[in-house]
Amino acid sequence: MFDNLKIIHYPDPRLKQPSAPVAEFNENLRQLVARMFELMRQAKGVGLAAPQVAQNIRLFILNATGQPEDDRVYVNPFLSEAEGDEEAEEGCLSIPGLSVNVSRSKHLRIQAHDLQGNPIDQKASGYLARIWQHEFDHLNGTLLTDRMGPVAKLANRRLLRELEEKYASEHPASPPKKPPLKDKRAKSR
Ligand SMILES: [Zn+2]
């Protein structure tokens, strides 16, 4: 059923949509998650959020070690008790080739449900907490491009431009919209 699912790339507008909570823990959801793990492994990623496969629901998966027993599923996650700040390099399967420094909370608590609907309540620091925050961002339509400072934006201008052109050539019916001139004028006032 989800065989045709694939990872969508920047600037696909579906990546910018906030996702809706998961209402049912059913076979559909299990099949979706199984396919997401397949795609994440193929792409050699450590995390993947449902909107990255064009499913706008609040769910992400991760595997921080590459060991099968470390597969994790978080449904309807909630992050709290953020403490400290730490900067480190991040990439994103939806923005191939991009690698930027992002500041994230160092310590974090996550509350969510697993694939069976059982409650999850965990705390983590460092790398795992960083993956939670990156994937959680996806559920709110926030991408690394939104977390980049002006220097990183300038440094990666060409890469992002190339991705935009690739997307436009693959989606000729719906080119990315540019803001009308009127808006631009209003903004600069
Ligand atoms: Zn990502």
Side-chain angles (χ1 to χ4, degrees):
M1 173 192 306
F2 294 109
D3 289 353
N4 294 328
L5 228 59
K6 54 180 185 164
I7 296 174
I8 59 174
H9 292 155
Y10 170 90
D12 194 312
R14 290 171 291 183
L15 289 167
K16 299 295 292 173
Q17 283 169 21
S19 288
V22 171
E24 269 190 89
F25 295 79
N26 54 21
E27 182 55 26
N28 233 15
L29 198 69
R30 282 185 281 278
Q31 286 191 20
L32 169 65
V33 164
R35 177 69 179 140
M36 283 174 65
F37 273 112
E38 236 173 59
L39 290 168
M40 186 180 79
R41 290 213 161 83
Q42 277 169 18
K44 301 191 191 326
V46 293
L48 186 67
Q52 292 182 274
V53 293
Q55 307 293 303
N56 281 105
I57 55 171
R58 303 189 75 80
L59 174 165
F60 65 77
I61 63 167
L62 66 85
N63 187 312
T65 67
Q67 302 301 315
E69 67 267 24
D70 291 325
D71 280 354
R72 296 286 181 270
V73 181
Y74 298 89
V75 182
N76 300 335
F78 177 74
L79 301 179
S80 63
E81 298 177 26
E83 271 178 57
D85 281 301
E86 202 171 45
E87 211 177 89
E89 213 165 76
E90 283 182 30
C92 180
L93 294 181
S94 290
I95 316 178
L98 185 72
S99 179
V100 284
N101 274 323
V102 182
S103 179
R104 302 280 191 189
S105 301
K106 204 169 174 180
H107 311 279
L108 211 59
R109 177 184 181 188
I110 191 168
Q111 289 162 287
H113 287 88
D114 67 14
L115 199 44
Q116 282 73 42
N118 303 311
I120 295 172
D121 193 342
Q122 297 168 355
K123 285 180 184 177
S125 301
Y127 189 49
L128 185 55
R130 176 169 296 272
I131 302 175
W132 288 349
Q133 290 167 87
H134 179 111
E135 302 310 329
F136 188 82
D137 266 357
H138 276 299
L139 306 185
N140 295 327
T142 302
L143 297 176
L144 282 186
T145 45
D146 303 306
R147 297 277 182 204
M148 282 160 58
V151 175
K153 269 191 184 146
L154 200 63
N156 291 287
R157 221 169 110 185
R158 177 180 285 185
L159 171 80
L160 295 177
R161 172 74 63 85
E162 280 169 8
L163 288 170
E164 284 159 14
E165 284 168 1
K166 185 166 184 277
Y167 181 84
S169 71
E170 288 167 359
H171 302 78
S174 56
K177 276 182 197 153
K178 288 198 175 130
L181 200 57
K182 242 189 200 169
D183 286 6
K184 249 187 192 167
R185 277 190 194 146
K187 234 181 215 173
S188 62
R189 251 181 231 156

